[in-house]
Each structure stands twice: as C-alpha cells, then as structure tokens.
C-alpha cells in the first residue's frame, strides 16, 4: 500500500524595489536603469495595462493590478528579486501592495520633480498623458514616510530647486512670528499650492483642496535645503492635517490628536 506524502514548498523572502512618483518624474527611467543594472525583472503598470487591452479594450484598472500582483507574487515566490514601476502615490495603495506580497521585503524609491518638469518630460514621451492628468495626480499624492509601514527602506530621488527659488522662502521663514521651525515652515508653505489649484478647471476634484499640492511642494523645497527627513515629515503632515483641523468638530479634533499626537496637533493649531 502506497502512502501519499505532501510536501509544502518553502518560499524564500525576496525583495521588490518599488518606484513611485508622478507621471514625468523620471520614475520610469530610474526603474528601468535600476532593473538593467541589477539584471532584475521589471514589471510596469503601463506595460501590463497595454498588453491586456490589446485583446480586452475595456479591461478595468482593478483587473490590471490584480494581474500585476499575480505576476509579482510568482517572481518573488520563486525567490527572485524584481522591480515594480507605477505611480504608487497613495498610502492605502502602498499598504495594500505590502499585504498582497506579505513575506517579502519592499524597498521604496520616491521620485520627486517639479510639476513643470513632470509636464515637460511627459510631453516629450512617446505616449504623453497630458498636463491635466499630472495636475490631478498631485492633488491627491501622498509622499511616503518610514512610519507609513509599507516599505522597509525609502530612498528619495529629488530634483533640487535652485537657490534663487528657495532663498526668498528661507528669508520669509526667518521673519516669521513662529519660533518653532516646523510651524514656521508650514506657515510659509501652506499656501504654496493655491496658485496651481486656482488655475484648475472646476470639477469634483476641486473639493479636495490644495493641501496635497502644498505638501508636495514643501517636501521638495525642504529636501532641496537639506533638512532632516524627520523635520520635512512634520512640516508635510502639519500642512496636510491643517484642512482636517479646520473642518472638524471637537470630537473630531480629539480623534486627530489620537492620530498624530499632542505635539504635532499643537503645531497644526498654531498655524494662521
């Protein structure tokens, strides 16, 4: 009598290098160069979407990403490292990716360029998405930080702003009434996204507000000035949470304190 035995396949932890950023932010080029140098498989959302839509023009974005996750899982479960290129601009998306690929290491690379650079580089690409798409992206973009929990490491690939752009802001910050540096910078940069926001056509996206645009600009500005990433994160969060603070009830404020802590909440409260 034969006894059937089952053996479980051991899955070795592999590493996925995740490239993130707006369209036109050099994300694609950085991902490809990295994959070529390390001789790793490269999965891009654009390539998978184009491949699937050749035979199924109406395929949904959700289905595209299901297929992407399936391919990534197979590569990683086979013990091979890989590179993933997609905008990956939202914290929930990044955390979902982490859950889908549980047991493997994810290393993040955030590409940050000015909106003008992104629009220009997109226009010169073989298949440009257009200025309005990039503007919509930045309105909801969330810069990843280490405590988000989605990536084991984060590398920022940032286009540094010229001194003539940053120095007037430094002077403005130094003349601020706020003694606390985080609050002073948040106060200077809080309205930095308003001009772009006001120039956008009316639509449902206008309800979002310009805080995310300001946060994106604040990140690039302070990174260009060589501030520590912890300070940059605080400034970005104060800008983002200012809108929530203004549009919430007393019980909502208590909840906000629970989310970000008393110290950071006081910095939000101190903004003009």
């Amino acid at each position: 009598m034969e006894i059937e035995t089952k053996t479980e396949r051991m899955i070795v932890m592999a590493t996925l290098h995740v490239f993130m950023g707006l369209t036109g932010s050099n994300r694609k080029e950085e991902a490809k160069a990295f994959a070529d140098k390390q001789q790793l498989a490269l999965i891009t959302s654009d390539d998978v979407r184009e491949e699937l839509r050749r035979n199924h023009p109406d395929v949904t974005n959700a289905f595209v990403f299901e297929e992407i996750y399936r391919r990534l899982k197979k590569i990683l479960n086979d013990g091979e490292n890989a590179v993933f290129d997609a905008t990956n601009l939202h914290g929930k998306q990044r955390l979902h990716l982490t859950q889908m690929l549980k047991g493997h290491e994810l290393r993040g690379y955030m590409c940050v360029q000015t909106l003008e650079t992104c629009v220009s580089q997109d226009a010169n690409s073989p298949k440009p998405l257009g200025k309005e798409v990039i503007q919509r992206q930045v309105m909801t973009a969330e810069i990843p930080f280490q405590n988000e929990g989605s990536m084991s490491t984060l590398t920022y690939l940032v286009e540094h702003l010229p001194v003539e752009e940053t120095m007037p802001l430094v002077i403005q910050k130094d003349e601020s009434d706020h003694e606390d540096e985080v609050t002073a910078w948040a106060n200077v940069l809080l309205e930095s996204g308003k001009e772009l926001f006001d120039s956008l056509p009316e639509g449902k996206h206008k309800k979002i507000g310009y805080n995310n645009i300001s946060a994106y600009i604040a990140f690039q500005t302070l990174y260009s000035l060589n501030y520590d990433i912890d300070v940059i994160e605080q400034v970005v969060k104060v800008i983002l949470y200012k809108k929530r603070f203004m549009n919430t009830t007393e019980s909502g404020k208590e909840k906000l304190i629970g989310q970000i802590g008393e110290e950071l909440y006081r910095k939000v409260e101190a903004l003009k």
Side-chain angles (χ1 to χ4, degrees):
M1 177 179 178
E2 278 189 25
I3 299 176
E4 184 180 349
T5 59
K6 293 182 179 180
T7 57
E8 290 188 6
R9 178 176 169 228
M10 182 181 292
I11 296 175
V12 179
M13 185 176 77
T15 300
L16 180 66
H17 301 275
V18 183
F19 282 77
M20 306 165 276
L22 300 175
T23 296
S25 64
N26 261 1
R27 185 193 74 241
K28 291 177 179 297
E29 293 78 5
E30 292 283 358
K32 187 177 185 311
F34 185 92
D36 288 347
K37 183 177 181 181
Q38 301 295 327
Q39 296 184 323
L40 299 177
L42 170 63
I43 301 291
T44 79
S45 57
D46 288 344
D47 287 350
V48 174
R49 185 180 294 107
E50 184 177 343
E51 175 192 331
L52 293 176
R53 287 181 176 171
R54 285 193 199 111
N55 297 320
H56 305 282
D58 298 327
V59 70
T60 65
N61 211 44
F63 185 85
V64 170
F65 275 87
E66 282 181 21
E67 176 61 16
I68 287 171
Y69 297 146
R70 187 192 67 78
R71 295 184 188 188
L72 289 174
K73 275 184 182 179
K74 185 179 185 310
I75 295 170
L76 298 175
N77 288 350
D78 285 342
E80 299 291 333
N81 298 336
V83 178
F84 177 37
D85 160 35
T87 52
N88 293 306
L89 290 172
H90 305 120
K92 286 184 178 179
Q93 290 177 337
R94 296 188 289 262
L95 289 170
H96 181 64
L97 178 64
T98 303
Q99 289 300 313
M100 293 296 293
L101 303 175
K102 196 172 182 179
H104 299 292
E105 181 187 18
L106 273 65
R107 298 182 183 177
Y109 304 81
M110 182 67 192
C111 301
V112 179
Q113 305 264 340
T114 64
L115 295 180
E116 292 80 8
T117 297
C118 290
V119 170
S120 174
Q121 292 185 160
D122 172 64
N124 292 321
S125 69
K127 296 179 181 179
L129 293 183
K131 181 178 179 179
E132 289 187 4
V133 171
I134 297 171
Q135 289 174 333
R136 288 199 300 270
Q137 287 177 353
V138 77
M139 286 186 69
T140 59
E142 298 168 343
I143 299 286
F145 292 103
Q146 199 63 55
N147 63 6
E148 179 181 273
S150 59
M151 308 287 160
S152 63
T153 63
L154 277 168
T155 300
Y156 299 102
L157 306 170
V158 182
E159 174 192 6
H160 281 248
L161 300 175
V163 174
E164 55 266 28
E165 285 188 31
T166 57
M167 283 313 298
L169 296 172
V170 172
I171 294 170
Q172 192 177 342
K173 188 270 297 183
D174 289 343
E175 294 174 348
S176 169
D177 295 333
H178 298 284
E179 294 182 6
D180 174 75
E181 189 165 47
V182 169
T183 311
W185 269 119
N187 190 61
V188 168
L189 296 167
L190 179 64
E191 302 286 317
S192 58
K194 190 174 186 302
E195 183 178 350
L196 169 61
F197 178 79
D198 289 342
S199 70
L200 298 176
E202 291 299 324
K204 62 181 181 180
H205 57 278
K206 294 281 275 191
K207 296 178 181 178
I208 299 170
Y210 55 82
N211 292 60
N212 285 69
I213 306 174
S214 296
Y216 184 93
I217 294 171
F219 179 92
Q220 188 173 18
T221 300
L222 297 179
Y223 200 95
S224 298
L225 290 167
N226 297 315
Y227 271 87
D228 185 85
I229 197 65
D230 291 335
V231 174
I232 298 174
E233 179 178 5
Q234 288 186 62
V235 174
V236 165
K237 286 186 173 179
V238 168
I239 290 172
L240 288 175
Y241 282 110
K242 179 61 178 177
K243 184 181 179 184
R244 295 190 195 180
F245 172 82
M246 292 172 63
N247 300 318
T248 191
T249 60
E250 284 303 316
S251 61
K253 290 178 183 179
E254 291 299 321
K255 185 178 179 180
L256 190 56
I257 292 173
Q259 289 177 341
I260 66 175
E262 184 77 30
E263 183 179 354
L264 198 59
Y265 174 82
R266 294 304 168 203
K267 295 180 192 297
V268 175
E269 191 178 40
L271 278 189
K272 295 177 181 178

